[in-house]
Amino acid sequence: MIYPKIPLAQTVIQLCKAKGVKHIVISPGSRNAPLTIGFSNDDYFKCYSIVDERCAAFFALGIAQQLQEPTAVVCTSGSALLNYYPAVAEAFYSDIPLIVLSADRPKHLIGIGDGQTINQKNVFENHVLCSSNLKLDLKEDNIDLIEEELPVFENLENKVKTLPELKKTVQEYNEEEIDKAINMALLKNGPVHINVPFDEPLYTMVNESSVKPKSIDLENQPLEIDDYILGDCIKDWNAASKKIVLVGVNQPNQIEQHWLDNLAADDSVIVFTETTSNLHHDTFFPSIDKLIAPLKSEDFGKLQPDILLTFGGLIVSKKVKAFLRAYRPQQHWHIDLKKANDTFFCLNNFVKTTPNYFFSKFLPQIKSIKSDYNSYWSHIKASRRVKHNNYLNSIDFSDLKAFDVILNSIPGDTILQLGNSSTVRYAQLFDLNKTLEVFCNRGTSGIDGCTATAIGSAVANKKQTTLITGDLSFIYDSNALWNNYIPDNFRIIVINNQGGGIFRILPGHKNTENFDTYFETNHHLTAEHLCNMYGLKYESVSDEAALKTSLNSFYSEGNQPKLLEVFTPKNLNDEVLLNYFKYIG
């Protein structure tokens, strides 16, 4: 087997292998050549070459999102590393294991005006679980660096005098730092950064490894809940007649169905699920905005819960956040292994465990409470659903109408990736096919990597993946198409309303030159030429009949990925949506 000659590169690669880090997304560069040589010459690893570092990181994030295991990204030194930051932040807030391996120049070349050099140490410290800054391999021709490296080893006390002794100490330090970082990504599900300095020559290869790093085993903590916390939860829950369970971003199949059935059978409980929660039950309340938007103040008082129980990631619905901040529950509990966001400013109980484990200990001890809470709001939900359908049958072609047609067309048992901004908010208004697995980058809610993430997801999951995205999101992330890995069954639907349509829905003065230029970003671009350049089959429609006709064959098998661009009338979309909320009330 071919190895890079540099021992530090060998160490990083062997520990990644020992920890089961299989997928490696590499952006071409010179300083990272030792890592590229090692990863690409070992058949254990599945390597991908993606030039644009921002897209590469989101591509890797999409793989990790589907596999729920760490995926590594490898880049050269300098600003290349900074282009990873949007995906690193998304991984941090979405609890996705991403391992950043950045090549760096030796310490003595930093801060002296050398090219392609920045301060890479701890550059992501606010958005990673761990920053490991490795030490340069020491050798005879860099003996002058020994004094520079010595201060980092507080336990040496100047006892190490010889070069072999110091080399061994540096090797042990690096192994420990790499192990610590990868274990953190595995245990805590989040991004870590390993900064790896390399001195030249960078491209020398050998046939045998010179190091045998030791891998530190993971130490999984057992799931548990303190008896007094569980007891208080049971007591308070059994005394409350109005409870809301609100679920944010949630991986598919994370909660056992019988616990969901148990919640659904409780008359005193309403379960609000978002599109990204991947939870379904006939008695649950999806499409939260559809229920809440038309409510008056007296209605909010009736809906106000005694206890709010939340789990999952960030909440999309601004309306439910506004409601629960204004009409706060007496108690807010959040169930999660890592963090509890005080989203509604009334959090008083953070139960640090998994939701599934909590329910297994909690729900068997819950008593049935007589309450008309669920039945009252279920009646309103049914009324809203009827009005929703009536309104959709009465409107002209628009964003809302297009989403109705598209979301009803997506084949069952497939992956649905949603772009941010208006796309995910429109999807929230519809009851989706229960067999779909739905994903969206809601950690930071940015438009910057939606396409790249969806492509990474499609590579990792053999099910057909459909991305629905807006025109600005798609154009912004168009470099995501610049790779050789897009599966033939990948589908993109671009809703092109000629700008940032969501800004027409928000408060503010519309239809001015200032608004068109600086908020909506009015444009006349299409995806057609990008599809021609990158080898996607392109089709466009601009009315309901054409959309339905196109969708009949859109998901069928083919020998290339497909993109459908749906043009909607930008000056009508906001009026249709705002009137929708008035109509369903």
Side-chain angles (χ1 to χ4, degrees):
M1 186 182 293
I2 296 174
Y3 300 90
K5 185 177 181 179
I6 297 174
L8 180 54
Q10 295 177 18
T11 303
V12 171
I13 293 159
Q14 289 182 39
L15 285 176
C16 282
K17 189 173 183 177
K19 300 293 183 184
V21 181
K22 187 177 183 66
H23 294 268
I24 314 293
V25 183
I26 302 170
S27 292
S30 183
R31 189 61 52 171
N32 58 332
L35 294 174
T36 302
I37 290 168
F39 282 123
S40 62
N41 281 288
D42 189 329
D43 290 340
Y44 173 82
F45 298 105
K46 174 63 177 174
C47 294
Y48 311 85
S49 177
I50 297 181
V51 174
D52 185 317
E53 282 89 3
R54 190 185 74 190
C55 295
F58 276 109
F59 178 91
L61 185 140
I63 294 174
Q65 174 203 80
Q66 291 299 309
L67 300 181
Q68 286 295 285
E69 60 186 43
T71 301
V73 284
V74 179
C75 72
T76 190
S77 62
S79 61
L81 177 61
L82 300 183
N83 285 296
Y84 283 162
Y85 214 140
V88 169
E90 177 62 36
F92 181 74
Y93 289 109
S94 289
D95 298 330
I96 295 177
L98 189 69
I99 298 174
V100 174
L101 299 173
S102 60
D104 200 359
R105 275 162 166 68
K107 187 175 180 180
H108 68 280
L109 293 179
I110 297 172
I112 65 166
D114 205 29
Q116 205 169 338
T117 305
I118 64 171
N119 294 320
Q120 295 182 197
K121 183 179 179 180
N122 300 332
V123 72
F124 301 130
E125 64 179 341
N126 290 328
H127 295 97
V128 289
L129 301 177
C130 176
S131 292
S132 291
N133 299 285
L134 307 185
K135 299 301 174 185
L136 189 71
D137 286 321
L138 298 181
K139 48 191 178 182
E140 293 293 345
D141 59 0
N142 65 6
I143 192 73
D144 57 312
L145 301 180
I146 291 180
E147 292 184 1
E148 182 179 301
E149 294 294 343
L150 269 173
V152 304
F153 306 109
E154 296 178 358
N155 62 332
L156 289 182
E157 298 177 352
N158 294 322
K159 292 178 181 178
V160 175
K161 301 295 185 182
T162 68
L163 178 61
E165 287 177 310
L166 186 56
K167 285 174 65 176
K168 182 175 183 290
T169 306
V170 169
Q171 176 67 21
E172 291 172 348
Y173 172 86
N174 284 337
E175 288 180 18
E176 184 178 332
E177 286 294 298
I178 297 166
D179 246 318
K180 178 181 69 175
I182 299 177
N183 281 352
M184 188 72 74
L186 285 163
L187 286 172
K188 299 294 186 180
N189 283 325
V192 297
H193 176 208
I194 303 174
N195 195 50
V196 194
F198 292 129
D199 207 353
E200 298 182 10
L202 302 168
Y203 293 89
T204 308
M205 292 175 278
V206 294
N207 293 321
E208 293 185 5
S209 176
S210 61
V211 297
K212 294 182 179 180
K214 298 177 182 178
S215 175
I216 302 172
D217 292 335
L218 291 172
E219 295 183 6
N220 286 300
Q221 296 295 320
L223 295 174
E224 56 184 22
I225 307 173
D226 289 340
D227 289 340
Y228 77 91
I229 293 177
L230 184 63
D232 286 346
C233 287
I234 293 167
K235 176 184 175 182
D236 292 341
W237 188 270
N238 285 337
S241 61
K242 298 193 301 181
K243 284 97 74 172
I244 287 179
V245 176
L246 175 59
V247 188
V249 177
N250 191 65
Q251 282 279 332
N253 306 312
Q254 293 293 298
I255 310 298
E256 293 177 27
Q257 187 61 43
H258 62 98
W259 301 132
L260 302 179
D261 295 340
N262 194 312
L263 288 170
D266 193 329
D267 293 334
S268 64
V269 175
I270 291 175
V271 180
F272 282 150
T273 60
E274 296 216 301
T275 301
T276 53
S277 72
N278 289 294
L279 294 182
H280 303 280
H281 196 283
D282 289 342
T283 68
F284 287 177
F285 288 69
S287 310
I288 302 171
D289 289 358
K290 192 160 57 182
L291 179 75
I292 289 180
L295 296 181
K296 304 295 188 291
S297 58
E298 60 270 22
D299 299 315
F300 284 126
K302 294 178 181 178
L303 183 59
Q304 182 180 17
D306 302 320
I307 297 174
L308 170 68
L309 187 154
T310 59
F311 64 91
L314 274 67
I315 301 297
V316 175
S317 172
K318 289 186 176 181
K319 291 179 171 58
V320 80
K321 284 187 279 192
F323 155 57
L324 289 169
R325 286 169 180 172
Y327 295 83
R328 296 177 187 175
Q330 296 173 18
Q331 297 188 52
H332 173 201
W333 311 344
H334 187 75
I335 318 298
D336 192 83
L337 269 174
K338 286 172 62 177
K339 55 195 174 189
N341 295 315
D342 192 7
T343 305
F344 313 106
F345 312 125
C346 55
L347 181 70
N348 68 317
N349 192 0
F350 172 30
V351 184
K352 199 172 182 179
T353 188
T354 67
N356 204 59
Y357 183 78
F358 174 78
F359 289 138
S360 72
K361 300 297 181 183
F362 174 72
L363 290 177
Q365 302 186 61
I366 294 307
K367 299 176 182 177
S368 179
I369 303 295
K370 284 188 177 183
S371 173
D372 63 355
Y373 190 52
N374 184 286
S375 60
Y376 177 86
W377 291 104
S378 292
H379 176 75
I380 294 175
K381 179 182 73 171
S383 173
R384 296 271 198 274
R385 191 168 287 167
V386 171
K387 291 184 178 180
H388 169 93
N389 293 330
N390 290 341
Y391 185 79
L392 286 167
N393 290 331
S394 70
I395 60 174
D396 294 329
F397 190 66
S398 57
D399 280 354
L400 186 64
K401 189 70 171 180
F403 272 94
D404 179 42
V405 174
I406 292 166
L407 292 173
N408 280 310
S409 75
I410 299 173
D413 198 32
T414 61
I415 306 296
L416 173 59
Q417 290 275 350
L418 295 171
N420 269 308
S421 200
S422 59
T423 299
V424 68
R425 298 187 187 284
Y426 270 112
Q428 289 269 103
L429 301 176
F430 297 87
D431 300 342
L432 300 189
N433 183 330
K434 297 177 182 179
T435 67
L436 297 178
E437 297 179 13
V438 184
F439 299 88
C440 181
N441 286 349
R442 290 307 298 174
T444 60
S445 307
I447 67 170
D448 37 8
C450 298
T451 305
T453 301
I455 294 172
S457 163
V459 167
N461 195 321
K462 299 307 178 184
K463 291 182 179 181
Q464 185 174 77
T465 296
T466 300
L467 166 67
I468 305 176
T469 186
D471 49 323
L472 291 189
S473 298
F474 175 75
I475 295 167
Y476 193 96
D477 198 27
S478 60
N479 265 7
L481 304 177
W482 187 11
N483 68 74
N484 298 318
Y485 311 106
I486 305 176
D488 290 341
N489 67 350
F490 183 62
R491 301 290 180 265
I492 303 176
I493 299 175
V494 178
I495 308 297
N496 191 335
N497 48 31
Q498 300 87 58
I502 193 170
F503 291 102
R504 302 191 68 86
I505 301 167
L506 300 175
H509 191 53
K510 316 292 193 303
N511 301 320
T512 66
E513 183 178 349
N514 180 279
F515 176 84
D516 291 347
T517 301
Y518 296 107
F519 289 90
E520 189 178 29
T521 319
N522 197 7
H523 70 89
H524 299 286
L525 302 174
T526 79
E528 183 174 8
H529 295 296
L530 285 169
C531 289
N532 291 337
M533 181 166 65
Y534 291 119
L536 278 69
K537 183 177 181 180
Y538 175 82
E539 188 174 357
S540 66
V541 297
S542 56
D543 60 64
E544 181 179 357
L547 177 59
K548 289 181 176 178
T549 300
S550 180
L551 288 171
N552 285 334
S553 59
F554 181 67
Y555 304 102
S556 60
E557 292 185 7
N559 58 3
Q560 63 187 137
K562 300 178 185 178
L563 184 146
L564 175 61
E565 191 162 22
V566 183
F567 291 95
T568 63
K570 70 167 186 171
N571 293 323
L572 179 63
N573 289 322
D574 56 330
E575 179 183 341
V576 169
L577 184 62
L578 294 172
N579 286 338
Y580 166 81
F581 289 118
K582 295 177 184 176
Y583 182 89
I584 64 174

